[in-house]
Amino acid sequence: MDDGKKVDIADVARGCLYGGAIGDTLGYPVEFFSYERIKAVYGEGGITSLRLSDGKALVSDDTQMTLFTVEALALFADGKGSIEECGVAAYADWLATQRKGRPVPGNTPLAERAAMYVCRAPGNTCLSALESGVTGTVDKPINGSKGCGGVMRVAPCGVAAKLLGGANGAAVAAAKLAAITHGHPLGWLSAAQLAYIVARAAQGERDIRRAVTDSAAALEKTFGGGRHVKRQNELTLAACDLAGRDMPDERAIASLGQGWVGEEALAIAVYCALKYEREPVKALIAAVNHSGDSDSTGAIAGNILGAFRGMGAWRAEDVDALDLKEEIGMEAKKLAGISA
């Protein structure tokens, strides 16, 4: 697993968070577009560069919630409660950013940042679950949703694997954080699998395919071999197979789904990350140009590639364009600190 070199956890953290944000930003303008409409608006190659608004590329709720996941992990590291309790506290602050017009006192330092207080197409399931006052858990689901709002925010758990007891511990923590809002097993199993994959990068693994295939066995060991685990693994391993085939991306991605639900979003991201692992920007372009949840699939692909390849995977001009560049940098530093 370890190639003998010391892991630069700061580079893993920065690569993962900035990569997720770039993928999110690239896909955000076309999140609700069909593939045909994307091509009609942006040309046959689809959307290939960040769209700027007032000189900045806008992130969506995916990046916002990911940053608040870092805050949840920081609360946990400080002994402020269980991972679920810390998640509820941090996501309550995120909810405030979607409902309030300016910073209000919260549970985390991130709640003090004015730049976070903007509504960027938040998921209805996340909003309704957090507003309900009920905390969903793996054992007591709050709803039957398997939407990708659970998986798209938990990559920081993988970076913080050391804090959480290793890759399996990261997977369990991610499942618990996702289950706060998404009750269907595939809503939190996909989150667990993503965290495990990213955790392997934090542990020194450089082979993305190995990390993905190992995650299937880890999922069965940790969560059992039930039908939902089998479905999660079936789709993720299908993505691995497709990445090795000579097939147009549009067709391969369509066979995996549209990414609106957790297992499909992760599978699409895995496919793109594996097929274009030596060309990370091209991977993100593939991950967002389809008829589905483009910002989430782009974000997850960016999380994976950034964790494994570090900041060297990303163009400086793309990082500089992000509207939350400063906040992402702050949270990446915090994540690295609690993950070392």
CSV table of all heavy atoms in Angstrom, one decimal, residues 10-51:
chain,number,residue,atom,x,y,z
A,10,ALA,N,-0.9,17.2,4.0
A,10,ALA,CA,-1.3,18.6,3.7
A,10,ALA,C,-1.7,18.6,2.2
A,10,ALA,O,-2.6,19.2,1.7
A,10,ALA,CB,-0.3,19.6,4.0
A,11,ASP,N,-0.8,17.9,1.4
A,11,ASP,CA,-1.1,17.9,-0.1
A,11,ASP,C,-2.3,17.1,-0.4
A,11,ASP,O,-3.1,17.4,-1.3
A,11,ASP,CB,0.2,17.3,-0.8
A,11,ASP,CG,0.1,17.6,-2.3
A,11,ASP,OD1,-0.3,18.7,-2.7
A,11,ASP,OD2,0.5,16.6,-3.0
A,12,VAL,N,-2.5,16.0,0.3
A,12,VAL,CA,-3.7,15.1,0.2
A,12,VAL,C,-4.9,16.0,0.5
A,12,VAL,O,-5.9,16.0,-0.3
A,12,VAL,CB,-3.6,13.9,1.1
A,12,VAL,CG1,-5.0,13.1,1.0
A,12,VAL,CG2,-2.5,13.0,0.7
A,13,ALA,N,-4.9,16.7,1.6
A,13,ALA,CA,-6.1,17.5,2.0
A,13,ALA,C,-6.4,18.6,1.0
A,13,ALA,O,-7.5,18.8,0.6
A,13,ALA,CB,-5.8,18.1,3.4
A,14,ARG,N,-5.3,19.3,0.6
A,14,ARG,CA,-5.5,20.4,-0.3
A,14,ARG,C,-6.0,19.9,-1.7
A,14,ARG,O,-6.9,20.5,-2.3
A,14,ARG,CB,-4.3,21.2,-0.5
A,14,ARG,CG,-3.9,22.0,0.8
A,14,ARG,CD,-2.6,22.8,0.6
A,14,ARG,NE,-2.8,23.9,-0.2
A,14,ARG,CZ,-2.1,24.2,-1.3
A,14,ARG,NH1,-1.2,23.3,-1.7
A,14,ARG,NH2,-2.3,25.3,-2.0
A,15,GLY,N,-5.3,18.8,-2.2
A,15,GLY,CA,-5.7,18.3,-3.5
A,15,GLY,C,-7.1,17.8,-3.5
A,15,GLY,O,-7.9,18.0,-4.5
A,16,CYS,N,-7.5,17.1,-2.4
A,16,CYS,CA,-8.9,16.6,-2.3
A,16,CYS,C,-9.9,17.7,-2.3
A,16,CYS,O,-10.9,17.7,-3.0
A,16,CYS,CB,-9.0,15.7,-1.0
A,16,CYS,SG,-10.6,14.9,-0.8
A,17,LEU,N,-9.7,18.7,-1.4
A,17,LEU,CA,-10.7,19.8,-1.3
A,17,LEU,C,-10.8,20.7,-2.5
A,17,LEU,O,-11.9,21.0,-3.0
A,17,LEU,CB,-10.5,20.6,0.0
A,17,LEU,CG,-10.7,19.9,1.3
A,17,LEU,CD1,-10.6,20.9,2.5
A,17,LEU,CD2,-12.0,19.1,1.4
A,18,TYR,N,-9.6,21.1,-3.0
A,18,TYR,CA,-9.6,21.9,-4.2
A,18,TYR,C,-10.1,21.2,-5.4
A,18,TYR,O,-10.8,21.7,-6.3
A,18,TYR,CB,-8.2,22.5,-4.4
A,18,TYR,CG,-7.9,23.8,-3.6
A,18,TYR,CD1,-7.0,23.8,-2.6
A,18,TYR,CD2,-8.7,24.9,-3.8
A,18,TYR,CE1,-6.7,24.9,-1.9
A,18,TYR,CE2,-8.4,26.1,-3.1
A,18,TYR,CZ,-7.4,26.1,-2.1
A,18,TYR,OH,-7.2,27.2,-1.4
A,19,GLY,N,-9.7,19.9,-5.5
A,19,GLY,CA,-10.2,19.1,-6.7
A,19,GLY,C,-11.7,19.0,-6.7
A,19,GLY,O,-12.3,19.1,-7.7
A,20,GLY,N,-12.2,18.7,-5.5
A,20,GLY,CA,-13.7,18.6,-5.4
A,20,GLY,C,-14.4,19.9,-5.8
A,20,GLY,O,-15.4,19.9,-6.5
A,21,ALA,N,-13.8,21.0,-5.3
A,21,ALA,CA,-14.4,22.3,-5.6
A,21,ALA,C,-14.3,22.6,-7.1
A,21,ALA,O,-15.3,23.2,-7.7
A,21,ALA,CB,-13.7,23.4,-4.8
A,22,ILE,N,-13.2,22.3,-7.8
A,22,ILE,CA,-13.1,22.5,-9.2
A,22,ILE,C,-14.1,21.7,-10.0
A,22,ILE,O,-14.8,22.2,-10.9
A,22,ILE,CB,-11.6,22.3,-9.7
A,22,ILE,CG1,-10.7,23.3,-9.1
A,22,ILE,CG2,-11.5,22.3,-11.2
A,22,ILE,CD1,-9.2,22.9,-9.2
A,23,GLY,N,-14.2,20.4,-9.6
A,23,GLY,CA,-15.2,19.5,-10.3
A,23,GLY,C,-16.6,20.0,-10.1
A,23,GLY,O,-17.4,20.0,-11.0
A,24,ASP,N,-16.9,20.5,-8.9
A,24,ASP,CA,-18.2,21.0,-8.5
A,24,ASP,C,-18.5,22.2,-9.3
A,24,ASP,O,-19.6,22.4,-10.0
A,24,ASP,CB,-18.2,21.3,-7.0
A,24,ASP,CG,-19.4,22.0,-6.5
A,24,ASP,OD1,-20.5,21.9,-7.2
A,24,ASP,OD2,-19.3,22.7,-5.5
A,25,THR,N,-17.5,23.1,-9.4
A,25,THR,CA,-17.7,24.4,-10.1
A,25,THR,C,-17.9,24.2,-11.6
A,25,THR,O,-18.7,24.9,-12.3
A,25,THR,CB,-16.5,25.3,-9.9
A,25,THR,OG1,-16.4,25.6,-8.5
A,25,THR,CG2,-16.6,26.6,-10.6
A,26,LEU,N,-17.1,23.2,-12.2
A,26,LEU,CA,-17.2,22.9,-13.6
A,26,LEU,C,-18.6,22.4,-13.9
A,26,LEU,O,-19.2,22.8,-15.0
A,26,LEU,CB,-16.2,21.9,-14.0
A,26,LEU,CG,-16.1,21.5,-15.5
A,26,LEU,CD1,-15.7,22.8,-16.3
A,26,LEU,CD2,-15.1,20.4,-15.7
A,27,GLY,N,-19.2,21.6,-13.0
A,27,GLY,CA,-20.5,21.0,-13.3
A,27,GLY,C,-21.7,21.8,-12.9
A,27,GLY,O,-22.8,21.6,-13.4
A,28,TYR,N,-21.5,22.8,-12.0
A,28,TYR,CA,-22.6,23.5,-11.5
A,28,TYR,C,-23.4,24.2,-12.5
A,28,TYR,O,-24.7,24.2,-12.5
A,28,TYR,CB,-22.0,24.5,-10.5
A,28,TYR,CG,-23.1,25.3,-9.7
A,28,TYR,CD1,-24.3,24.8,-9.3
A,28,TYR,CD2,-22.8,26.6,-9.3
A,28,TYR,CE1,-25.2,25.6,-8.6
A,28,TYR,CE2,-23.7,27.4,-8.6
A,28,TYR,CZ,-24.9,26.9,-8.3
A,28,TYR,OH,-25.8,27.6,-7.5
A,29,PRO,N,-22.9,24.8,-13.6
A,29,PRO,CA,-23.7,25.5,-14.6
A,29,PRO,C,-24.6,24.6,-15.4
A,29,PRO,O,-25.6,25.0,-16.0
A,29,PRO,CB,-22.7,26.2,-15.5
A,29,PRO,CG,-21.5,26.3,-14.7
A,29,PRO,CD,-21.4,25.1,-13.8
A,30,VAL,N,-24.2,23.3,-15.4
A,30,VAL,CA,-25.0,22.3,-16.3
A,30,VAL,C,-25.6,21.2,-15.5
A,30,VAL,O,-26.0,20.2,-16.0
A,30,VAL,CB,-24.0,21.7,-17.3
A,30,VAL,CG1,-23.5,22.8,-18.3
A,30,VAL,CG2,-22.9,21.0,-16.7
A,31,GLU,N,-25.8,21.5,-14.2
A,31,GLU,CA,-26.3,20.4,-13.3
A,31,GLU,C,-27.7,19.9,-13.7
A,31,GLU,O,-27.9,18.7,-13.6
A,31,GLU,CB,-26.4,21.0,-11.8
A,31,GLU,CG,-27.0,20.0,-10.8
A,31,GLU,CD,-27.2,20.6,-9.5
A,31,GLU,OE1,-27.0,21.8,-9.3
A,31,GLU,OE2,-27.5,19.8,-8.5
A,32,PHE,N,-28.5,20.8,-14.3
A,32,PHE,CA,-29.8,20.3,-14.6
A,32,PHE,C,-30.0,20.3,-16.2
A,32,PHE,O,-31.1,20.3,-16.7
A,32,PHE,CB,-30.9,21.3,-14.0
A,32,PHE,CG,-30.8,21.3,-12.5
A,32,PHE,CD1,-30.3,22.4,-11.8
A,32,PHE,CD2,-31.2,20.2,-11.8
A,32,PHE,CE1,-30.2,22.4,-10.4
A,32,PHE,CE2,-31.1,20.2,-10.4
A,32,PHE,CZ,-30.6,21.3,-9.7
A,33,PHE,N,-28.9,20.2,-16.9
A,33,PHE,CA,-28.9,20.1,-18.3
A,33,PHE,C,-28.9,18.7,-18.8
A,33,PHE,O,-28.2,17.9,-18.2
A,33,PHE,CB,-27.8,20.9,-19.0
A,33,PHE,CG,-27.8,22.4,-19.0
A,33,PHE,CD1,-28.6,23.0,-18.1
A,33,PHE,CD2,-27.0,23.1,-19.8
A,33,PHE,CE1,-28.7,24.4,-18.1
A,33,PHE,CE2,-27.1,24.5,-19.9
A,33,PHE,CZ,-27.9,25.1,-19.0
A,34,SER,N,-29.6,18.4,-19.9
A,34,SER,CA,-29.4,17.1,-20.6
A,34,SER,C,-28.0,17.2,-21.3
A,34,SER,O,-27.5,18.3,-21.6
A,34,SER,CB,-30.5,16.8,-21.6
A,34,SER,OG,-30.4,17.7,-22.6
A,35,TYR,N,-27.5,16.1,-21.7
A,35,TYR,CA,-26.2,16.1,-22.4
A,35,TYR,C,-26.4,16.8,-23.8
A,35,TYR,O,-25.5,17.6,-24.2
A,35,TYR,CB,-25.7,14.7,-22.6
A,35,TYR,CG,-24.4,14.6,-23.3
A,35,TYR,CD1,-23.3,15.3,-22.8
A,35,TYR,CD2,-24.2,13.8,-24.4
A,35,TYR,CE1,-22.0,15.2,-23.5
A,35,TYR,CE2,-22.9,13.7,-25.1
A,35,TYR,CZ,-21.9,14.4,-24.6
A,35,TYR,OH,-20.7,14.4,-25.2
A,36,GLU,N,-27.5,16.6,-24.4
A,36,GLU,CA,-27.8,17.3,-25.6
A,36,GLU,C,-27.8,18.8,-25.5
A,36,GLU,O,-27.3,19.6,-26.3
A,36,GLU,CB,-29.1,16.8,-26.3
A,36,GLU,CG,-29.1,15.4,-26.8
A,36,GLU,CD,-27.9,15.1,-27.7
A,36,GLU,OE1,-27.7,16.0,-28.7
A,36,GLU,OE2,-27.2,14.1,-27.6
A,37,ARG,N,-28.4,19.3,-24.4
A,37,ARG,CA,-28.5,20.7,-24.1
A,37,ARG,C,-27.1,21.2,-23.8
A,37,ARG,O,-26.7,22.3,-24.2
A,37,ARG,CB,-29.4,21.0,-23.0
A,37,ARG,CG,-29.6,22.5,-22.8
A,37,ARG,CD,-30.6,22.8,-21.7
A,37,ARG,NE,-30.7,24.3,-21.5
A,37,ARG,CZ,-31.2,24.9,-20.4
A,37,ARG,NH1,-31.7,24.1,-19.4
A,37,ARG,NH2,-31.2,26.2,-20.3
A,38,ILE,N,-26.3,20.5,-23.1
A,38,ILE,CA,-24.9,20.9,-22.8
A,38,ILE,C,-24.2,21.1,-24.1
A,38,ILE,O,-23.5,22.2,-24.3
A,38,ILE,CB,-24.2,19.9,-22.0
A,38,ILE,CG1,-24.8,19.7,-20.6
A,38,ILE,CG2,-22.7,20.2,-21.9
A,38,ILE,CD1,-24.2,18.6,-19.7
A,39,LYS,N,-24.3,20.2,-25.0
A,39,LYS,CA,-23.6,20.3,-26.3
A,39,LYS,C,-24.2,21.5,-27.1
A,39,LYS,O,-23.4,22.2,-27.8
A,39,LYS,CB,-23.7,19.0,-27.1
A,39,LYS,CG,-22.9,17.9,-26.5
A,39,LYS,CD,-22.7,16.7,-27.4
A,39,LYS,CE,-24.1,16.0,-27.6
A,39,LYS,NZ,-24.0,14.8,-28.5
A,40,ALA,N,-25.5,21.7,-27.0
A,40,ALA,CA,-26.1,22.8,-27.8
A,40,ALA,C,-25.6,24.2,-27.3
A,40,ALA,O,-25.4,25.1,-28.1
A,40,ALA,CB,-27.6,22.7,-27.7
A,41,VAL,N,-25.4,24.2,-26.0
A,41,VAL,CA,-24.9,25.5,-25.4
A,41,VAL,C,-23.4,25.7,-25.5
A,41,VAL,O,-22.9,26.8,-25.8
A,41,VAL,CB,-25.4,25.6,-23.9
A,41,VAL,CG1,-24.8,26.8,-23.2
A,41,VAL,CG2,-26.9,25.6,-23.8
A,42,TYR,N,-22.6,24.7,-25.2
A,42,TYR,CA,-21.2,24.8,-25.1
A,42,TYR,C,-20.4,24.2,-26.3
A,42,TYR,O,-19.2,24.3,-26.3
A,42,TYR,CB,-20.7,24.2,-23.8
A,42,TYR,CG,-21.3,24.9,-22.6
A,42,TYR,CD1,-22.3,24.3,-21.9
A,42,TYR,CD2,-20.7,26.1,-22.2
A,42,TYR,CE1,-22.9,25.0,-20.8
A,42,TYR,CE2,-21.2,26.7,-21.1
A,42,TYR,CZ,-22.3,26.2,-20.4
A,42,TYR,OH,-22.8,26.8,-19.3
A,43,GLY,N,-21.1,23.6,-27.2
A,43,GLY,CA,-20.4,22.9,-28.3
A,43,GLY,C,-20.3,21.4,-28.2
A,43,GLY,O,-20.6,20.9,-27.1
A,44,GLU,N,-19.8,20.7,-29.2
A,44,GLU,CA,-19.7,19.3,-29.2
A,44,GLU,C,-18.9,18.7,-28.1
A,44,GLU,O,-19.1,17.6,-27.6
A,44,GLU,CB,-19.3,18.8,-30.5
A,44,GLU,CG,-20.3,18.7,-31.6
A,44,GLU,CD,-21.5,17.8,-31.2
A,44,GLU,OE1,-21.2,16.6,-30.8
A,44,GLU,OE2,-22.6,18.2,-31.3
A,45,GLY,N,-17.9,19.5,-27.7
A,45,GLY,CA,-17.0,19.0,-26.6
A,45,GLY,C,-17.6,19.2,-25.2
A,45,GLY,O,-17.0,18.8,-24.2
A,46,GLY,N,-18.8,19.8,-25.1
A,46,GLY,CA,-19.4,20.1,-23.8
A,46,GLY,C,-18.7,21.2,-23.1
A,46,GLY,O,-18.0,22.0,-23.7
A,47,ILE,N,-19.0,21.3,-21.8
A,47,ILE,CA,-18.4,22.4,-21.0
A,47,ILE,C,-17.0,21.9,-20.6
A,47,ILE,O,-16.8,20.8,-20.1
A,47,ILE,CB,-19.3,22.7,-19.8
A,47,ILE,CG1,-18.7,23.9,-19.0
A,47,ILE,CG2,-19.5,21.5,-18.8
A,47,ILE,CD1,-19.6,24.5,-18.0
A,48,THR,N,-16.0,22.7,-20.9
A,48,THR,CA,-14.6,22.3,-20.7
A,48,THR,C,-13.8,23.2,-19.8
A,48,THR,O,-12.7,22.9,-19.5
A,48,THR,CB,-13.9,22.1,-22.0
A,48,THR,OG1,-13.9,23.4,-22.7
A,48,THR,CG2,-14.6,21.1,-22.9
A,49,SER,N,-14.4,24.4,-19.5
A,49,SER,CA,-13.6,25.3,-18.6
A,49,SER,C,-14.6,26.0,-17.6
A,49,SER,O,-15.8,26.0,-17.8
A,49,SER,CB,-13.0,26.4,-19.5
A,49,SER,OG,-13.9,27.1,-20.2
A,50,LEU,N,-14.0,26.5,-16.6
A,50,LEU,CA,-14.9,27.1,-15.5
A,50,LEU,C,-15.6,28.4,-16.0
A,50,LEU,O,-15.0,29.2,-16.7
A,50,LEU,CB,-14.0,27.5,-14.3
A,50,LEU,CG,-13.2,26.4,-13.7
A,50,LEU,CD1,-12.5,26.9,-12.4
A,50,LEU,CD2,-14.1,25.1,-13.4
A,51,ARG,N,-16.9,28.5,-15.7
A,51,ARG,CA,-17.6,29.7,-16.0
A,51,ARG,C,-17.5,30.7,-14.9
A,51,ARG,O,-17.6,30.4,-13.8
A,51,ARG,CB,-19.1,29.4,-16.2
A,51,ARG,CG,-19.4,28.2,-17.2
A,51,ARG,CD,-19.2,28.7,-18.6
A,51,ARG,NE,-18.0,28.0,-19.2
A,51,ARG,CZ,-17.6,28.1,-20.4
A,51,ARG,NH1,-18.2,28.9,-21.3
A,51,ARG,NH2,-16.5,27.5,-20.8
